[in-house]
Amino acid sequence: KDRAVTMWDYEHLVLEHFPNIYKVKCLNHTRLMRQNQKILVDNEVYPGYVLMVPIPYVKASTTVNPMRPYTDKKTLAAIDKFLRARISPFVNLEVQNPKFEAIQVKFKVNFTRDITDPGFYVKQLKAAIRKYLSPWAYDEGVEISFGGQWHKSAIINFVEEQSYVDYVIDFEMYHQADIQASDESWKSNDLEVVRATTGRSILVYYDPPDDDHLIIAINQGSSS
């Protein structure tokens, strides 16, 4: 009846009417608490509030960052307007982008004996980890998942399975829960498991431009 009542209704109405949206997550009882327009916390037990989190198609757009696929403000506003005409007047609705949370890994790697250019394979290994943690940026058939967790042991196992890797040591994993924050205290907290902090969170690979010190090749004294 073109009305949004259940979470299924909210999600499928948006997907039907906005072809540029790949996926949308409806979170009921969720309110974004702000101070001076800045989101401080996701209150996920707040009755009467509904949060819609859309994700655009990555491959079909030249403006969307595949590692962090944000929906543009114009589309967010259009979804908001579209849904408000189809929901109860007692519902407090908000349409917002996902919260991307980054995983950073740091370790030393010894490559197999046949490797003569460790620097090249460090770059290749970085690319492999990036694809492993954010596969949707490379393969349209892979779904973007909200929430979830990553175990350090799983990433270590993935690295050691690469044909050019002999072994790794001093493996550390960090969690940047707020990629907008300037505070870098998170870089000192080595974790065994990284868990998403909210229902609208998506875990992605931490990919700064100055990450050359994060993976070090220990054989032949080479590094990157």
Side-chain angles (χ1 to χ4, degrees):
K1 297 181 180 181
D2 199 37
R3 299 289 296 173
V5 179
T6 67
M7 289 188 288
W8 190 95
D9 296 334
Y10 279 85
E11 293 174 352
H12 284 75
L13 280 170
V14 171
L15 291 175
E16 287 176 6
H17 289 81
F18 293 87
N20 60 322
I21 297 300
Y22 153 72
K23 184 176 184 177
V24 61
K25 179 77 170 180
C26 179
L27 299 168
N28 62 345
H29 308 308
T30 300
R31 181 183 182 184
L32 303 182
M33 311 300 291
R34 290 177 168 84
Q35 185 176 56
N36 298 325
Q37 303 302 315
K38 181 181 180 181
I39 299 173
L40 298 180
V41 66
D42 292 37
N43 188 331
E44 298 179 341
V45 288
Y46 210 112
Y49 281 77
V50 172
L51 178 65
M52 296 296 292
V53 188
I55 298 176
Y57 277 99
V58 173
K59 298 295 184 181
S61 173
T62 58
T63 61
V64 175
N65 179 353
M67 300 297 292
R68 298 175 184 178
Y70 290 106
T71 301
D72 63 85
K73 292 182 179 180
K74 182 179 179 180
T75 303
L76 292 178
I79 293 173
D80 185 280
K81 181 179 179 179
F82 169 80
L83 286 175
R84 286 186 187 280
R86 292 163 173 80
I87 62 175
S88 165
F90 302 105
V91 171
N92 294 285
L93 174 71
E94 180 168 355
V95 182
Q96 183 58 260
N97 272 306
K99 179 185 180 186
F100 291 100
E101 304 182 17
I103 298 174
Q104 181 189 78
V105 294
K106 181 180 180 181
F107 59 92
K108 297 175 183 176
V109 56
N110 195 78
F111 294 113
T112 54
R113 291 185 178 182
D114 58 316
I115 298 302
T116 58
D117 186 358
F120 171 82
Y121 282 92
V122 164
K123 294 179 181 178
Q124 185 165 319
L125 185 55
K126 287 179 184 177
I129 297 172
R130 186 183 301 112
K131 184 175 181 180
Y132 180 60
L133 295 180
S134 305
W136 64 83
Y138 303 87
D139 186 351
E140 288 189 51
V142 177
E143 185 172 341
I144 300 177
S145 298
F146 288 92
Q149 61 188 18
W150 277 103
H151 290 259
K152 179 192 290 186
S153 58
I155 302 176
I156 292 175
N157 183 66
F158 171 78
V159 172
E160 291 184 332
E161 284 183 342
Q162 304 309 301
S163 61
Y164 46 86
V165 172
D166 186 11
Y167 62 85
V168 300
I169 60 173
D170 300 337
F171 196 100
E172 300 173 0
M173 181 171 71
Y174 308 104
H175 179 202
Q176 186 184 24
D178 185 357
I179 63 174
Q180 305 296 335
S182 57
D183 177 27
E184 296 191 346
S185 60
W186 60 274
K187 292 185 177 181
S188 61
N189 189 15
D190 181 23
L191 302 171
E192 294 299 318
V193 183
V194 168
R195 294 183 175 88
T197 61
T198 73
R200 69 182 177 100
S201 297
I202 297 174
L203 295 174
V204 299
Y205 177 66
Y206 179 78
D207 194 18
D210 58 343
D211 68 345
D212 288 348
H213 64 288
L214 298 178
I215 301 178
I216 300 175
I218 57 179
N219 51 330
Q220 300 184 12
S222 299
S223 64
S224 177

